[in-house]
């Protein structure tokens, strides 16, 4: 019976990993796919490799936090409770993936485990509080860092990494020899090649950061059991993520790459670097971070930084000149020098975001973690009160 339950647990963990692959490939490689510098299959392959690297290194610390530190008491994580926790994580994420929305896997996983902890009175509120504080602080850091970049450095970065798209593929395969080898497309320019390499490299960084934070969401409840080793579970979880990246992730790649926003490629690169840096830093100290929330606030901060270029710090403090603050400023081709220009020339947010898709994304990003948390809490309360 124990062996059967363990197989069920492993299958559910793989299902969670599958949905993580679907939820995180879009944020990582959506800009590259949307800019036509990378195919969906190429994005899935790179996601699989760099997620595994992140999971096998810094990811182990987050596994320890969720599997050992968040709830106290050695008897809390049994095969039965681990399976139920993973079921609610995977089920909630599947709802988000079915809607084509990349929900926060970390918030979903922590919510499910916290539901178990509250129902059994074993939740370590100090650890939960530390995680919750960082969930509040990290997006604020992302906002301000991106705001500074938008105000002072965005134009220079844009000139450096801007991709000038040409007709045809960025790369092709020369099949004249025994082994096909990649070559530049017929119209690919050096600048286009450089920009393409940059945006792909940023996607790989994001995939690595996803591995550091999200592998725990799939395997931590099982690794908490003495009978399950961490390394084989990391291999299993990473393999499941790869399957999700090659299959269900196509929907989130479409949403992030084409539907939700006309986010300029330079802005996407800035947001990716800032968000990934914060997630990797938190993973290094064992804190599961929500990349989706941090990235959203980074986008807003970047737009705020660009929009406030029309006002100097002195004018802003004295209230002499009011800026029109809008993330639509990200779509502006050229922004004036600091303190110059008319705020009315800044595009509105509707020029950047698709309102219908944006509303769907915001709704599901809140619904998915709530489903996981409430579902686990109610289920474990009933089981421990009337059954166990």
């Amino acid at each position: 019976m124990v062996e059967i339950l363990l197989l069920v647990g492993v299958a559910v963990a793989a299902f969670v990993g599958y949905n993580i692959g679907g939820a995180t490939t879009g944020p990582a490689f959506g800009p590259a796919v949307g800019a036509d510098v990378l195919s969906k299959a190429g994005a899935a392959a790179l996601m699989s490799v760099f997620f595994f690297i992140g999971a096998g290194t810094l990811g182990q610390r987050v596994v320890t936090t969720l599997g050992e530190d968040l709830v106290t008491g050695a008897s809390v994580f049994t095969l039965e409770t681990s399976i139920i926790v993973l079921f609610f994580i995977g089920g909630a994420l599947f709802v988000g993936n079915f809607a084509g929305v990349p929900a926060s896997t970390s918030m979903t996983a922590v919510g499910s485990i916290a539901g178990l902890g509250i129902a059994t009175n074993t939740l370590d509120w100090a650890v939960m509080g530390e995680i919750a504080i960082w969930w509040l602080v990290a997006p604020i850091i992302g906002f301000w860092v991106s705001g500074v970049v938008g105000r002072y450095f965005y134009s220079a970065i844009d000139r450096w990494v801007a991709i000038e798209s040409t007709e045809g593929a960025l790369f092709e395969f020369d099949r004249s020899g025994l082994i096909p080898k990649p070559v530049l497309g017929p119209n690919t320019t050096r600048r286009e090649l450089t920009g393409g390499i940059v945006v792909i490299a940023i996607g790989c960084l994001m995939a690595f950061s996803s591995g550091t934070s999200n592998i725990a969401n799939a395997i931590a409840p099982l690794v908490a059991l003495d009978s399950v080793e961490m390394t084989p579970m990391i291999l299993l979880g990473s393999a499941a993520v790869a399957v999700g990246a090659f299959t269900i992730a196509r929907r989130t790649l479409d949403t992030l790459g084409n539907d939700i926003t006309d986010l300029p490629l330079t802005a996407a690169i800035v947001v990716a670097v800032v968000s990934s840096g914060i997630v990797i830093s938190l993973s290094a100290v064992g804190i599961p971070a929500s990349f989706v929330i941090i990235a959203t606030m980074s986008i807003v901060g970047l737009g705020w930084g660009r929009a406030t270029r029309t006002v100097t710090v002195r004018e802003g403090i004295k209230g002499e000149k009011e800026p029109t603050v809008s993330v639509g400023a990200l779509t502006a081709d050229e922004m004036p020098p600091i303190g110059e220009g008319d705020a009315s020339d800044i595009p509105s947010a509707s020029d950047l975001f698709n309102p219908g898709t944006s509303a769907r994304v915001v709704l599901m990003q809140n619904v998915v973690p709530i489903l996981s948390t409430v579902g686990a809490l109610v289920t474990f309360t009933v089981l421990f009160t009337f059954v166990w």
Side-chain angles (χ1 to χ4, degrees):
M1 186 64 178
V2 173
E3 289 78 6
I4 294 176
L5 281 176
L6 184 58
L7 287 176
V8 172
V10 169
V12 177
F15 178 68
V16 175
Y18 169 78
N19 281 285
I20 289 174
T24 59
T25 304
F29 290 100
V33 172
D36 293 326
V37 300
L38 188 66
S39 67
K40 291 180 179 178
L46 291 175
M47 182 71 195
S48 304
V49 171
F50 284 92
F51 183 96
F52 171 69
I53 296 173
T57 52
L58 298 179
Q60 298 187 43
R61 302 184 183 185
V62 184
V63 173
T64 300
T65 297
L66 293 188
E68 300 177 11
D69 301 338
L70 186 56
V71 292
T72 59
S75 61
V76 176
F77 274 121
T78 63
L79 271 174
E80 293 85 356
T81 59
S82 297
I83 290 171
I84 294 172
V85 165
L86 289 170
F87 170 80
F88 280 108
I89 297 172
L93 290 177
F94 181 78
V95 171
N97 284 328
F98 184 78
V101 175
S104 171
T105 55
S106 292
M107 295 179 70
T108 303
V110 171
S112 183
I113 296 173
L116 167 63
I118 295 173
T120 57
N121 199 30
T122 57
L123 180 65
D124 190 322
W125 287 100
V127 175
M128 186 68 235
E130 183 181 8
I131 293 173
I133 288 172
W134 277 111
W135 280 355
L136 294 174
V137 171
I140 295 174
I141 294 174
F143 174 89
W144 282 108
V145 172
S146 297
V148 170
V149 171
R151 181 174 171 86
Y152 297 106
F153 307 109
Y154 186 90
S155 297
I157 296 173
D158 188 49
R159 288 191 296 270
W160 179 58
V161 302
I163 293 181
E164 298 174 355
S165 299
T166 58
E167 292 288 334
L170 186 67
F171 295 100
E172 292 182 346
F173 283 95
D174 182 1
R175 305 182 186 275
S176 59
L178 183 62
I179 301 176
K181 59 181 180 179
V183 296
L184 296 181
N187 300 312
T188 301
T189 64
R190 179 173 297 182
R191 184 172 182 81
E192 183 182 15
L193 175 63
T194 302
I197 291 174
V198 168
V199 74
I200 291 173
I202 296 304
C204 293
L205 174 66
M206 294 171 69
F208 174 84
S209 72
S210 176
T212 65
S213 182
N214 289 323
I215 188 63
N217 305 330
I219 68 172
L222 288 180
V223 173
L225 305 174
D226 294 334
S227 59
V228 179
E229 297 292 329
M230 183 180 297
T231 300
M233 290 304 299
I234 287 178
L235 292 172
L236 171 74
S238 298
V241 167
V243 175
F246 276 99
T247 54
I248 198 171
R250 292 178 176 272
R251 296 190 60 145
T252 55
L253 280 169
D254 283 335
T255 299
L256 270 293
N258 300 308
D259 295 344
I260 184 174
T261 177
D262 293 323
L263 190 67
L265 192 57
T266 303
I269 291 174
V270 172
V271 169
V273 171
V274 172
S275 304
S276 296
I278 294 173
V279 170
I280 292 172
S281 298
L282 291 178
S283 297
V285 294
I287 301 295
S290 172
F291 180 90
V292 172
I293 304 300
I294 296 171
T296 300
M297 289 304 297
S298 294
I299 292 173
V300 176
L302 192 60
W304 175 85
R306 291 208 79 198
T308 56
R309 284 179 62 88
T310 58
V311 178
T312 65
V313 174
R314 178 176 173 274
E315 289 172 336
I317 293 175
K318 290 187 174 184
E320 297 174 355
K321 192 176 180 181
E322 292 292 332
T324 299
V325 179
S326 171
V327 290
L330 296 178
T331 62
D333 294 329
E334 287 291 338
M335 295 296 288
I338 292 177
E340 299 180 14
D342 190 345
S344 62
D345 295 332
I346 297 173
S348 65
S350 60
D351 294 326
L352 177 63
F353 293 105
N354 180 312
T357 305
S358 299
R360 176 167 58 91
V361 169
V362 171
L363 175 65
M364 293 307 299
Q365 284 179 358
N366 287 278
V367 167
V368 169
I370 291 173
L371 283 176
S372 175
T373 305
V374 174
L377 175 59
V378 172
T379 300
F380 284 119
T381 299
V382 171
L383 289 176
F384 279 98
T385 302
F386 300 105
V387 180
W388 294 338

